[in-house]
Amino acid sequence: MEPVPDPVTEKSTRTRSPFITRGTPNFMRVTAALFSAGLATFALLYCVQPILPILSHDFNVSPASSSLSLSVSTAMLAVGLLFTGPISDAVGRKPVMVIALMLAAILTIASSLTTSWHGILIMRALVGLALSGVAAVAMTYLSEEIDPMYVAFAMGLYISGNSIGGMSGRLLSGVLTDLFSWRFTLGSIGLIALIAALVFWRILPPSRHFRPSSLRPKTLLINFRLHWHDRGLPLLFAEGFLLMGAFVTLFNYIGYRLMAAPYYISQALIGLLSLVYLMGTYSSPKAGSLTLRFGRGPVFMFSIGLMLLGLCISLFSSIWIIFIGMLIFTSGFFAAHSVASSWIGRRARRAKGQASALYLFFYYVGSSVAGTSGGFFWHNYGWSGLVAFLSVMLICALLIGRSLSRLPEASIASNL
């Protein structure tokens, strides 16, 4: 179990620590900058999710085909991570993140002007590719610049920005599409994200602990093999696939369920369901702080258990009970992701950008594969079939989490 920080020691080391510590002005700048980056990233990525039924209607495509507007983004984001992580290891963290976020915002604005379905898919693929330069690099920046004692807490704050971004993108998308059109919605969200990118560029402190590494294929291969020979990292990669796959799949198809009989909920109210993401703003930093008391393994297992509980509650027919189930499910997901994200930085011996990129590669592959595959279960077996599919994924995540929890502390320490 990790030690609880001593207030006296903490105060005396703030001025001499080479890392950014909690309570300092630079800590506030870092957390504010990465909070805004996480907000913009997830708003851009998931703004199409509430309007999948609208896209199905406007372009005359099936629900599974409509979900490709999200799946191609997450798939290309996953592919891009294999390149942007190592690139950031060579050229630096901040430049990669700034350029990537600006490109994604501009491409989203451009997608609002696209008139063909294939054109929409191409633009969404490019948005995902651009966002790959933010996702893994932000995690790596935190693991390098923040005092190790507070990395889990800082990661939780960053993940909370992700949760608000996911909520904001879905909420704005649902409400604005109901009032105006989905084209107006995408253009507006792209403009807001562009402003967030400029704020991020201005306030994020430059890296102090970044050390460039070679982009030579031989070096990349050595680091790649090193990550896969670690006892815990491959398990964390598998967890990313399962957890994100389950999370995205539930939100992909809950709109179809609630807009049909007997609910007939409007598009605006479907967007309002994204308010459950606010639970992530609490659960992610809370999970990070709880790891100091109970360790990563127990907190991680409990968080996955919350996801499974919330999923089972969603089987009830009452709209209010369904909403409670979504709250619990969302809390568990963001808590689990926060713990896993900080765990990657602790286990990686070197090339932390590449290790984070590999985790998020599987994270977003899970989103794409499960998000689209879920359409088969929804179409053929309804909500109960979809819940059964996701339950299997979460049970597998619990079993893998049990293996992670049993890894000795000495094994973890040896990787620092």
Side-chain angles (χ1 to χ4, degrees):
M1 184 177 294
E2 297 176 51
V4 178
D6 179 73
V8 177
T9 304
E10 176 187 355
K11 183 177 180 180
S12 65
T13 57
R14 279 184 182 175
T15 57
R16 67 173 184 266
S17 173
F19 296 100
I20 298 173
T21 58
R22 186 176 177 180
T24 62
N26 268 351
F27 187 87
M28 298 299 295
R29 289 177 62 193
V30 168
T31 52
L34 289 176
F35 184 92
S36 67
L39 191 152
T41 297
F42 277 74
L44 292 171
L45 190 61
Y46 292 108
C47 61
V48 297
Q49 197 170 52
I51 62 173
L52 292 180
I54 302 296
L55 295 176
S56 291
H57 177 269
D58 282 8
F59 290 98
N60 194 28
V61 295
S62 69
S65 296
S66 179
S67 71
L68 287 174
S69 60
L70 177 59
S71 295
V72 295
S73 296
T74 54
M76 290 305 294
L77 191 155
V79 171
L81 288 168
L82 299 178
F83 301 95
T84 53
I87 288 173
S88 76
D89 284 334
V91 304
R93 314 301 183 195
K94 184 174 178 178
V96 171
M97 289 190 285
V98 170
I99 293 171
L101 195 54
M102 287 186 176
L103 277 176
I106 293 168
L107 287 165
T108 299
I109 295 172
S111 69
S112 68
L113 307 175
T114 306
T115 57
S116 71
W117 179 242
H118 289 99
I120 292 289
L121 294 182
I122 290 171
M123 297 304 295
R124 290 293 301 168
L126 293 174
V127 167
L129 190 63
L131 289 176
S132 68
V134 181
V137 182
M139 291 168 52
T140 308
Y141 177 94
L142 287 173
S143 68
E144 288 177 340
E145 303 301 323
I146 301 297
D147 190 303
M149 185 171 290
Y150 302 108
V151 167
F153 177 75
M155 195 73 72
L157 292 176
Y158 167 64
I159 300 298
S160 72
N162 295 351
S163 69
I164 291 182
M167 180 206 72
S168 302
R170 291 170 170 91
L171 180 61
L172 285 174
S173 182
V175 174
L176 292 180
T177 298
D178 217 27
L179 295 175
F180 302 100
S181 70
W182 65 266
R183 296 185 184 279
F184 176 85
T185 296
L186 292 185
S188 300
I189 291 174
L191 182 60
I192 293 170
L194 186 59
I195 295 171
L198 294 173
V199 171
F200 173 77
W201 176 41
R202 292 284 297 174
I203 69 175
L204 183 72
S207 298
R208 294 176 58 192
H209 300 279
F210 169 73
R211 298 294 181 269
S213 61
S214 173
L215 272 176
R216 292 180 301 174
K218 182 178 179 180
T219 303
L220 295 177
L221 181 59
I222 291 172
N223 291 333
F224 180 84
R225 292 178 62 187
L226 181 67
H227 299 323
W228 282 100
H229 279 93
D230 181 86
R231 293 179 62 188
L233 285 175
L235 299 180
L236 286 167
F237 300 158
E239 291 286 26
F241 179 96
L242 293 167
L243 297 177
M244 184 59 164
F247 180 73
V248 167
T249 302
L250 182 138
F251 278 91
N252 271 3
Y253 299 101
I254 190 68
Y256 287 99
R257 181 190 184 191
L258 297 180
M259 290 180 73
Y263 306 105
Y264 298 112
I265 291 180
S266 70
Q267 184 64 55
L269 288 177
I270 293 295
L272 286 173
L273 286 177
S274 300
L275 288 172
V276 300
Y277 272 56
L278 289 174
M279 293 301 297
T281 66
Y282 170 79
S283 67
S284 48
K286 183 65 176 179
S289 61
L290 286 176
T291 59
L292 290 173
R293 289 185 59 191
F294 303 107
R296 285 181 171 81
V299 176
F300 189 58
M301 291 278 288
F302 180 77
S303 302
I304 299 172
L306 283 180
M307 291 183 69
L308 189 57
L309 174 63
L311 178 66
C312 293
I313 290 174
S314 75
L315 285 168
F316 288 89
S317 57
S318 168
I319 185 66
W320 294 109
I321 296 179
I322 292 172
F323 184 73
I324 291 172
M326 293 174 66
L327 284 173
I328 296 172
F329 182 88
T330 303
S331 299
F333 168 74
F334 280 106
H337 177 44
S338 174
V339 175
S341 298
S342 63
W343 214 338
I344 291 289
R346 296 280 288 184
R347 292 205 64 95
R349 300 180 187 181
R350 62 187 185 199
K352 293 179 183 290
Q354 189 184 45
S356 296
L358 284 170
Y359 168 74
L360 289 175
F361 171 78
F362 287 96
Y363 180 86
Y364 287 110
V365 166
S367 169
S368 299
V369 173
T372 301
S373 301
F376 169 81
F377 291 92
W378 163 250
H379 180 73
N380 291 283
Y381 305 107
W383 191 252
S384 58
L386 188 68
V387 168
F389 170 60
L390 299 182
S391 295
V392 171
M393 295 181 66
L394 292 178
I395 290 170
C396 290
L398 278 172
L399 294 174
I400 295 172
R402 185 182 180 189
S403 298
L404 275 167
S405 299
R406 290 180 170 181
L407 290 179
E409 290 293 326
S411 173
I412 296 174
S414 68
N415 289 326
L416 296 179

